[in-house]
Protein backbone atom coordinates (compact mmCIF):
# COMPACT_ATOMS: atom_id res chain seq x y z
CA UNK A 1 0.00 0.00 0.00
CA UNK A 2 1.30 3.44 -0.95
CA UNK A 3 0.78 6.22 1.59
CA UNK A 4 -1.81 8.77 0.59
CA UNK A 5 -1.04 12.44 0.37
CA UNK A 6 -2.79 15.02 2.53
CA UNK A 7 -5.17 16.05 -0.27
CA UNK A 8 -6.12 12.45 -0.99
CA UNK A 9 -6.68 11.83 2.71
CA UNK A 10 -8.93 14.86 2.97
CA UNK A 11 -10.90 13.74 -0.07
CA UNK A 12 -11.31 10.25 1.40
CA UNK A 13 -12.51 11.61 4.76
CA UNK A 14 -14.89 14.02 3.04
CA UNK A 15 -16.34 11.25 0.89
CA UNK A 16 -16.63 8.95 3.90
CA UNK A 17 -18.52 11.55 5.93
CA UNK A 18 -20.76 12.30 2.96
CA UNK A 19 -21.71 8.64 2.73
CA UNK A 20 -22.12 8.25 6.48
CA UNK A 21 -24.22 11.39 6.96
CA UNK A 22 -26.02 12.07 3.67
CA UNK A 23 -28.33 14.68 5.23
CA UNK A 24 -25.43 16.92 6.25
CA UNK A 25 -24.31 19.58 3.75
CA UNK A 26 -20.72 20.29 2.74
CA UNK A 27 -20.37 23.34 4.99
CA UNK A 28 -21.36 21.42 8.09
CA UNK A 29 -18.96 18.63 7.19
CA UNK A 30 -16.14 21.13 6.69
CA UNK A 31 -16.96 22.74 10.04
CA UNK A 32 -16.71 19.38 11.78
CA UNK A 33 -13.38 18.71 10.15
CA UNK A 34 -11.90 22.03 11.25
CA UNK A 35 -12.83 21.26 14.84
CA UNK A 36 -11.17 17.87 14.43
CA UNK A 37 -13.90 16.30 16.53
CA UNK A 38 -16.42 13.96 15.05
CA UNK A 39 -19.08 11.75 16.61
CA UNK A 40 -20.59 9.24 14.24
CA UNK A 41 -24.01 7.93 15.10
CA UNK A 42 -24.02 4.25 15.70
CA UNK A 43 -27.04 2.02 15.42
CA UNK A 44 -26.28 -1.30 17.03
CA UNK A 45 -27.89 -4.34 15.52
CA UNK A 46 -30.52 -5.94 17.65
CA UNK A 47 -29.29 -9.19 19.02
CA UNK A 48 -31.72 -11.99 18.43
CA UNK A 49 -32.07 -14.25 21.41
CA UNK A 50 -31.50 -17.83 20.52
CA UNK A 51 -34.21 -20.07 21.81
CA UNK A 52 -32.91 -22.88 23.92
CA UNK A 53 -33.92 -26.22 22.63
CA UNK A 54 -35.70 -28.30 25.22
CA UNK A 55 -34.01 -31.61 25.79
CA UNK A 56 -36.63 -34.23 25.23
CA UNK A 57 -36.41 -37.45 27.21
CA UNK A 58 -37.52 -40.87 26.17
CA UNK A 59 -41.18 -41.51 25.53
CA UNK A 60 -43.02 -44.24 27.44
CA UNK A 61 -42.85 -46.44 24.37
CA UNK A 62 -39.09 -45.92 24.03
CA UNK A 63 -38.58 -46.72 27.73
CA UNK A 64 -40.49 -49.97 27.28
CA UNK A 65 -38.50 -50.88 24.18
CA UNK A 66 -35.21 -50.16 25.97
CA UNK A 67 -36.45 -52.06 29.06
CA UNK A 68 -35.14 -49.30 31.31
CA UNK A 69 -37.30 -50.25 34.30
CA UNK A 70 -37.12 -54.02 34.03
CA UNK A 71 -35.26 -55.97 36.68
CA UNK A 72 -33.36 -58.92 35.31
CA UNK A 73 -34.43 -62.35 36.70
CA UNK A 74 -30.98 -63.02 38.18
CA UNK A 75 -31.31 -59.74 40.14
CA UNK A 76 -34.71 -60.62 41.60
CA UNK A 77 -33.42 -61.78 44.98
CA UNK A 78 -34.61 -60.48 48.33
CA UNK A 79 -31.15 -60.65 49.94
CA UNK A 80 -29.68 -58.27 47.35
CA UNK A 81 -32.04 -55.49 48.43
CA UNK A 82 -31.76 -55.84 52.21
CA UNK A 83 -28.95 -53.20 52.30
CA UNK A 84 -31.33 -50.88 50.42
CA UNK A 85 -33.90 -51.41 53.19
CA UNK A 86 -31.30 -50.57 55.85
CA UNK A 87 -30.48 -47.34 54.00
CA UNK A 88 -34.18 -46.53 53.77
CA UNK A 89 -34.64 -46.99 57.54
CA UNK A 90 -31.77 -44.61 58.24
CA UNK A 91 -33.23 -42.13 55.77
CA UNK A 92 -36.60 -42.23 57.58
CA UNK A 93 -34.96 -41.85 60.99
CA UNK A 94 -33.14 -38.75 59.76
CA UNK A 95 -36.30 -37.43 58.13
CA UNK A 96 -38.32 -37.87 61.32
CA UNK A 97 -35.53 -36.67 63.64
CA UNK A 98 -34.85 -40.05 65.18
CA UNK A 99 -38.39 -41.46 65.60
CA UNK A 100 -38.34 -40.62 69.29
CA UNK A 101 -41.00 -42.19 71.57
CA UNK A 102 -42.48 -38.77 72.37
CA UNK A 103 -42.88 -37.89 68.67
CA UNK A 104 -46.43 -37.14 67.55
CA UNK A 105 -47.74 -40.03 65.41
CA UNK A 106 -49.59 -37.84 62.92
CA UNK A 107 -46.41 -35.84 62.25
CA UNK A 108 -44.45 -39.02 61.52
CA UNK A 109 -47.22 -40.40 59.33
CA UNK A 110 -47.40 -37.15 57.38
CA UNK A 111 -43.68 -37.37 56.62
CA UNK A 112 -43.88 -41.05 55.70
CA UNK A 113 -46.62 -40.36 53.17
CA UNK A 114 -44.38 -37.85 51.38
CA UNK A 115 -41.16 -39.86 51.76
CA UNK A 116 -39.46 -41.95 49.10
CA UNK A 117 -40.64 -45.54 49.63
CA UNK A 118 -38.01 -47.31 47.54
CA UNK A 119 -36.48 -49.78 50.00
CA UNK A 120 -39.41 -49.85 52.44
CA UNK A 121 -40.89 -53.16 53.56
CA UNK A 122 -44.67 -53.09 53.13
CA UNK A 123 -47.47 -55.58 53.62
CA UNK A 124 -50.83 -55.70 51.88
CA UNK A 125 -53.28 -55.80 54.79
CA UNK A 126 -56.57 -55.30 52.96
CA UNK A 127 -57.59 -55.72 49.35
CA UNK A 128 -60.63 -56.24 47.15
CA UNK A 129 -58.63 -59.06 45.59
CA UNK A 130 -57.93 -61.65 48.34
CA UNK A 131 -54.85 -62.99 46.53
CA UNK A 132 -52.98 -59.75 47.30
CA UNK A 133 -53.57 -59.89 51.07
CA UNK A 134 -50.47 -60.90 52.99
CA UNK A 135 -47.92 -60.03 50.30
CA UNK A 136 -44.87 -58.65 52.10
CA UNK A 137 -41.66 -57.41 50.61
CA UNK A 138 -39.31 -54.57 49.75
CA UNK A 139 -40.54 -51.90 47.36
CA UNK A 140 -38.16 -51.88 44.41
CA UNK A 141 -40.08 -49.58 42.11
CA UNK A 142 -43.01 -47.24 42.52
CA UNK A 143 -45.11 -46.08 39.60
CA UNK A 144 -48.28 -44.03 39.48
CA UNK A 145 -50.58 -47.03 39.74
CA UNK A 146 -48.47 -49.92 41.04
CA UNK A 147 -45.72 -51.02 43.41
CA UNK A 148 -43.13 -53.58 42.36
CA UNK A 149 -42.28 -55.63 45.45
CA UNK A 150 -39.67 -58.36 45.96
CA UNK A 151 -40.78 -60.97 48.52
CA UNK A 152 -38.69 -63.16 50.80
CA UNK A 153 -39.38 -66.01 48.39
CA UNK A 154 -37.48 -64.04 45.69
CA UNK A 155 -40.63 -63.40 43.70
CA UNK A 156 -41.26 -60.05 42.06
CA UNK A 157 -44.86 -58.99 42.60
CA UNK A 158 -46.64 -56.16 40.82
CA UNK A 159 -49.28 -54.90 43.23
CA UNK A 160 -51.77 -52.22 42.16
CA UNK A 161 -52.34 -49.32 44.51
CA UNK A 162 -56.05 -49.07 43.73
CA UNK A 163 -58.32 -50.78 46.28
CA UNK A 164 -55.42 -51.96 48.43
CA UNK A 165 -54.27 -50.95 51.92
CA UNK A 166 -50.57 -51.26 52.74
CA UNK A 167 -48.95 -51.28 56.16
CA UNK A 168 -45.46 -49.95 56.74
CA UNK A 169 -43.57 -50.52 59.99
CA UNK A 170 -40.36 -48.95 61.26
CA UNK A 171 -39.00 -48.89 64.81
CA UNK A 172 -42.36 -49.93 66.25
CA UNK A 173 -44.33 -47.27 64.39
CA UNK A 174 -46.89 -48.58 61.89
CA UNK A 175 -48.37 -46.45 59.15
CA UNK A 176 -51.15 -47.39 56.77
CA UNK A 177 -51.20 -46.35 53.15
CA UNK A 178 -54.53 -46.23 51.37
CA UNK A 179 -53.51 -47.01 47.81
CA UNK A 180 -56.64 -45.48 46.27
CA UNK A 181 -55.59 -42.09 47.71
CA UNK A 182 -51.98 -42.67 46.69
CA UNK A 183 -52.23 -42.75 42.89
CA UNK A 184 -49.22 -40.51 42.31
CA UNK A 185 -45.70 -40.86 41.07
CA UNK A 186 -43.05 -40.85 43.77
CA UNK A 187 -41.75 -37.48 42.55
CA UNK A 188 -45.20 -35.86 42.87
CA UNK A 189 -45.93 -36.79 46.47
CA UNK A 190 -43.70 -34.18 48.10
CA UNK A 191 -46.11 -31.41 47.06
CA UNK A 192 -49.27 -33.38 47.80
CA UNK A 193 -51.39 -32.70 50.87
CA UNK A 194 -52.70 -35.94 52.33
CA UNK A 195 -55.56 -36.56 54.68
CA UNK A 196 -54.18 -38.68 57.46
CA UNK A 197 -57.46 -40.53 57.89
CA UNK A 198 -58.41 -42.40 54.78
CA UNK A 199 -61.26 -44.70 53.83
CA UNK A 200 -61.48 -47.47 51.32
CA UNK A 201 -64.42 -49.51 50.03
CA UNK A 202 -63.58 -53.18 50.44
Amino acid sequence: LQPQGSEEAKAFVHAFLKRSMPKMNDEAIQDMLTRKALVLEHYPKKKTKQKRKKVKGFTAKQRRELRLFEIEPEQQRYAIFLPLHELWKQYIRDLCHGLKPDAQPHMIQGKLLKADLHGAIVTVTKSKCPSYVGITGIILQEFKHVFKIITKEDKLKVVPKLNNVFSLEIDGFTSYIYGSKFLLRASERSAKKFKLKGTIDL
Side-chain angles (χ1 to χ4, degrees):
L1 292 176
Q2 294 180 355
Q4 293 180 338
S6 60
E7 292 301 325
E8 292 176 342
K10 288 180 181 180
F12 171 78
V13 174
H14 189 277
F16 173 75
L17 293 176
K18 193 69 177 175
R19 288 195 305 270
S20 301
M21 296 176 289
K23 294 182 180 181
M24 188 172 290
N25 57 34
D26 292 341
E27 291 181 2
I29 292 175
Q30 193 61 37
D31 181 59
M32 295 181 72
L33 289 174
T34 55
R35 287 189 283 113
K36 297 183 180 180
L38 181 65
V39 178
L40 297 177
E41 294 182 1
H42 176 63
Y43 299 96
K45 293 181 180 180
K46 292 183 178 179
K47 293 183 180 179
T48 56
K49 291 184 179 179
Q50 294 181 349
K51 293 183 179 179
R52 291 184 181 178
K53 292 183 179 180
K54 292 183 179 179
V55 180
K56 292 184 178 179
F58 293 115
T59 63
K61 183 179 179 181
Q62 290 172 327
R63 287 195 294 267
R64 286 194 297 271
E65 290 173 350
L66 294 171
R67 302 175 64 189
L68 293 179
F69 297 114
E70 291 190 21
I71 301 172
E72 299 297 332
E74 61 271 15
Q75 300 295 324
Q76 296 177 14
R77 290 190 291 147
Y78 186 83
I80 291 178
F81 298 99
L82 279 174
L84 176 64
H85 175 60
E86 294 300 319
L87 286 173
W88 180 83
K89 288 198 295 185
Q90 188 58 50
Y91 154 67
I92 293 299
R93 291 183 185 117
D94 293 341
L95 183 67
C96 299
H97 307 292
L99 288 173
K100 298 177 182 178
D102 58 346
Q104 297 180 356
H106 70 276
M107 294 294 290
I108 297 175
Q109 188 170 9
K111 289 184 178 182
L112 284 175
L113 290 174
K114 293 188 177 186
D116 190 334
L117 296 180
H118 293 90
I121 293 179
V122 295
T123 301
V124 181
T125 55
K126 293 182 181 180
S127 177
K128 275 192 173 181
C129 181
S131 62
Y132 288 126
V133 177
I135 292 177
T136 302
I138 300 173
I139 294 178
L140 300 187
Q141 292 174 314
E142 179 187 354
F143 299 96
K144 185 174 182 179
H145 297 285
V146 298
F147 287 120
K148 282 190 178 182
I149 298 172
I150 187 75
T151 67
K152 290 182 179 180
E153 293 78 25
D154 296 336
K155 292 182 179 180
L156 187 65
K157 300 284 186 179
V158 180
V159 183
K161 295 178 181 179
L162 187 64
N163 296 326
N164 286 328
V165 181
F166 304 85
S167 66
L168 184 153
E169 191 272 333
I170 178 171
D171 293 349
F173 180 84
T174 303
S175 178
Y176 292 93
I177 297 171
Y178 290 81
S180 300
K181 312 294 183 183
F182 212 67
L183 298 178
L184 296 165
R185 295 180 178 85
S187 59
E188 297 172 351
R189 285 207 316 271
S190 60
K192 173 74 174 177
K193 291 184 179 180
F194 291 96
K195 293 181 179 178
L196 297 183
K197 292 183 180 180
T199 57
I200 189 168
D201 297 328
L202 294 176

